[in-house]
């Protein structure tokens, strides 16, 4: 087993303590988790991935039902959570928010209380992070954020898992995020700071990383030996990077801004010229779905340094660790 952790979880006692500390918790943002808890989830995910591939992942959630509410489209999140629950011996239940009474005005309070009586956990992809916070406040079961306007924590866990698999130790390594200062950027930065990486973020003016969050990530990075910086210069961010990451320029719900964003972001494309500034063995990551020849050149995303499909697969393994720990 690859040892990633700073906390010694090789002893049963430490593992039991961690299990007790995670059971019943929500996962709205990685800000709510300690670096040790994130290490534990990643290590669990690695073990579960190995076991799943060997055909012996234990069904840890027999008889448990996860409700999955979607206000937006999804391929990876929906399928990986659904398959993950099945592999753990539980039952996933897909719900389009428009088909629920919440889609025609039933309150979040009533929905949270009613669903808590049927389900063992809720995974929700929603427009508003505030709404998900309210749902979690009133639900008596764990609520897992499957993407909001602010965060995408499950994506970040899969990203970290992929980086650790490919790079082994990440101590002192640099991750460059180039593009929109969005939900994916926010969670990636929090997660990378938790595992002690040096985070560099390059966005155009007007599309910056959330500044309040920047301060919080800086504090996490200071406690783990990592760092975070932001710039408007993509070359500065990518210089000597071990990992280069981007996401779409217009997120779901921003379709009307797409043309303006295409113009604002055009110098921020991840292409061969830009990645020539990164380390030779840099790895390229993208949460997907991607727009080839917009935020990333086809030669990069389909090139030898790209790990995007391993990253997408890792959604399954990272989330199984989350589900087994929280539910
Ligand atoms: N990366 C991600 O969350 O993909 P989906 O939108 O397909 O779920
Ligand atoms: N930032 C993107 C991520 C999609 C997985 C969005 O919110 O649409």
């Amino acid at each position: 087993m690859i040892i990633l952790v700073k906390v010694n979880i090789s002893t049963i006692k430490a593992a039991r303590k961690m299990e007790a500390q995670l059971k019943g918790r929500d996962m709205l943002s990685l800000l709510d988790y300690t670096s040790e808890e994130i290490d534990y989830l990643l290590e669990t995910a690695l073990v579960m991935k190995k076991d799943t591939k060997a055909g012996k992942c234990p069904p840890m959630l027999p008889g448990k039902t996860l409700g999955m509410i979607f206000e937006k489209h999804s391929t990876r999140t929906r399928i990986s959570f659904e398959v993950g629950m099945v592999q753990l011996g539980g039952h996933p239940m897909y719900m389009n928010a428009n088909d629920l009474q919440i889609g025609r005005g039933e309150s979040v309070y009533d929905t949270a209380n009613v669903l808590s009586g049927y389900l063992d956990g809720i995974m929700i992809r929603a427009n508003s992070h505030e709404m998900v916070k309210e749902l979690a406040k009133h639900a008596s079961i764990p609520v897992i954020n499957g993407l909001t306007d602010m965060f995408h924590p499950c994506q970040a866990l899969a990203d970290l898992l992929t980086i650790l698999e490919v790079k082994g130790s990440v101590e002192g390594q640099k991750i460059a995020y180039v593009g929109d200062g969005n939900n994916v950027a926010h969670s990636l930065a929090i997660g990378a700071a938790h595992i002690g990486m040096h985070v560099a973020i390059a966005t155009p003016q007007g599309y910056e990383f959330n500044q309040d969050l920047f301060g919080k990530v800086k504090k996490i990075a200071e406690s783990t030996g990592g760092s975070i910086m932001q710039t408007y210069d993509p070359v500065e961010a990518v210089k000597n990077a071990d990992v280069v990451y981007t996401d779409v320029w217009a997120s779901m719900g921003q379709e009307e801004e797409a043309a303006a964003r295409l113009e604002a972001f055009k110098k921020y494309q991840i292409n061969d010229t830009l990645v020539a500034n990164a380390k030779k063995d840099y790895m390229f990551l993208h949460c997907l779905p991607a727009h080839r020849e917009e935020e990333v050149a086809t030669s990069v995303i389909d090139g030898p340094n790209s790990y995007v499909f391993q990253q997408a697969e890792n959604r399954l393994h990272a989330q199984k660790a989350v589900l087994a720990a929280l539910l």
Side-chain angles (χ1 to χ4, degrees), residues 72 76-77 125 147-148 152 155 180 182-184 247-248 250-253 287-289 315:
K72 294 179 171 184
R76 281 141 289 266
T77 305
R125 166 164 289 193
L147 181 144
T148 62
H152 199 358
Q155 179 66 54
D180 189 17
N182 64 13
N183 44 12
V184 167
D247 183 16
V248 290
S251 284
M252 289 181 277
C287 58
L288 305 179
R315 292 291 302 276

Side-chain angles (χ1 to χ4, degrees), residues 87-108:
Q87 288 184 359
L88 291 168
H91 180 74
M93 186 182 286
Y94 172 79
M95 295 173 267
N96 184 315
N98 282 329
D99 297 336
L100 300 175
Q101 294 289 10
I102 200 170
R104 44 187 294 275
E106 187 172 15
S107 71
V108 173

Side-chain angles (χ1 to χ4, degrees), residues 1 22 24 33 60 74 99 103 128 131 135 155 163 174 176 183 187 212-213 246 323:
M1 191 164 84
L22 291 171
Y33 283 72
M60 296 163 81
S74 171
D99 297 336
S128 148
M131 179 273 211
L135 184 78
Q155 179 66 54
I163 295 168
K174 178 178 180 182
N183 44 12
S187 289
D212 177 45
L213 180 62
T246 192
L323 290 166

Side-chain angles (χ1 to χ4, degrees), residues 59 61-68 79-93 120-121 316 320 323-324 327:
L61 299 175
K64 301 229 170 169
T65 303
L66 178 76
M68 313 193 309
I79 312 299
S80 57
F81 266 105
E82 205 158 324
V83 170
M85 273 307 280
V86 170
Q87 288 184 359
L88 291 168
H91 180 74
M93 186 182 286
D120 299 288
L316 170 67
K320 277 171 70 181
L323 290 166
L327 261 57

Side-chain angles (χ1 to χ4, degrees), residues 189-224:
I190 302 166
H194 269 305
I195 63 167
M197 294 189 84
H198 299 297
V199 184
I201 295 159
T203 70
Q205 283 187 14
Y207 299 94
E208 291 88 352
F209 192 92
N210 181 287
Q211 292 306 292
D212 177 45
L213 180 62
F214 187 87
K216 292 180 182 163
V217 175
K218 197 158 182 277
K219 279 212 179 85
I220 297 170
E222 279 162 8
S223 74
T224 60

Side-chain angles (χ1 to χ4, degrees), residues 15-84:
R16 287 268 153 78
K17 186 168 168 267
M18 194 58 88
E19 278 168 20
Q21 163 175 337
L22 291 171
K23 200 55 78 193
R25 293 255 295 273
D26 299 316
M27 181 173 278
L28 305 191
S29 159
L30 296 183
L31 282 177
D32 306 330
Y33 283 72
T34 65
S35 302
E36 287 74 20
E37 288 167 346
I38 288 171
D39 284 343
Y40 171 83
L41 289 171
L42 292 171
E43 187 169 5
T44 305
L46 271 178
V47 173
M48 287 178 124
K49 180 171 182 177
K50 205 173 109 227
D51 287 352
T52 303
K53 299 226 176 255
K56 51 172 195 177
C57 185
M60 296 163 81
L61 299 175
K64 301 229 170 169
T65 303
L66 178 76
M68 313 193 309
I69 305 174
F70 285 87
E71 289 184 350
K72 294 179 171 184
H73 291 87
S74 171
T75 296
R76 281 141 289 266
T77 305
R78 175 177 175 180
I79 312 299
S80 57
F81 266 105
E82 205 158 324
V83 170

Side-chain angles (χ1 to χ4, degrees), residues 75-281:
T75 296
R76 281 141 289 266
T77 305
R78 175 177 175 180
I79 312 299
S80 57
F81 266 105
E82 205 158 324
V83 170
M85 273 307 280
V86 170
Q87 288 184 359
L88 291 168
H91 180 74
M93 186 182 286
Y94 172 79
M95 295 173 267
N96 184 315
N98 282 329
D99 297 336
L100 300 175
Q101 294 289 10
I102 200 170
R104 44 187 294 275
E106 187 172 15
S107 71
V108 173
Y109 175 81
D110 285 359
T111 304
N113 278 287
V114 170
L115 292 184
S116 296
Y118 303 137
L119 301 167
D120 299 288
I122 297 172
M123 192 287 298
I124 179 160
R125 166 164 289 193
N127 293 304
S128 148
H129 193 70
E130 288 307 309
M131 179 273 211
V132 174
K133 272 166 65 179
E134 200 191 338
L135 184 78
K137 184 175 158 200
H138 299 301
S140 59
I141 52 178
V143 173
I144 299 169
N145 177 358
L147 181 144
T148 62
D149 53 343
M150 218 18 219
F151 297 113
H152 199 358
C154 298
Q155 179 66 54
L157 288 176
D159 301 341
L160 301 182
L161 187 60
T162 313
I163 295 168
L164 289 163
E165 280 181 330
V166 174
K167 297 286 184 189
S169 160
V170 292
E171 218 166 291
Q173 293 211 3
K174 178 178 180 182
I175 179 164
Y177 176 92
V178 178
D180 189 17
N182 64 13
N183 44 12
V184 167
H186 292 159
S187 289
L188 179 72
I190 302 166
H194 269 305
I195 63 167
M197 294 189 84
H198 299 297
V199 184
I201 295 159
T203 70
Q205 283 187 14
Y207 299 94
E208 291 88 352
F209 192 92
N210 181 287
Q211 292 306 292
D212 177 45
L213 180 62
F214 187 87
K216 292 180 182 163
V217 175
K218 197 158 182 277
K219 279 212 179 85
I220 297 170
E222 279 162 8
S223 74
T224 60
S227 65
I228 181 165
M229 63 83 76
Q230 54 189 339
T231 172
Y232 295 120
D233 179 3
V235 173
E236 187 189 0
V238 169
K239 204 155 207 64
N240 289 321
D242 299 277
V243 184
V244 178
Y245 198 119
T246 192
D247 183 16
V248 290
W249 292 340
S251 284
M252 289 181 277
Q254 296 172 334
E255 288 77 9
E256 281 175 11
E257 297 172 32
R261 283 172 172 265
L262 217 51
E263 184 57 29
F265 284 85
K266 66 183 178 206
K267 294 204 182 90
Y268 292 79
Q269 187 190 66
I270 308 289
N271 52 34
D272 292 312
T273 313
L274 185 60
V275 296
N277 296 287
K279 292 231 179 92
K280 263 208 158 50
D281 65 345

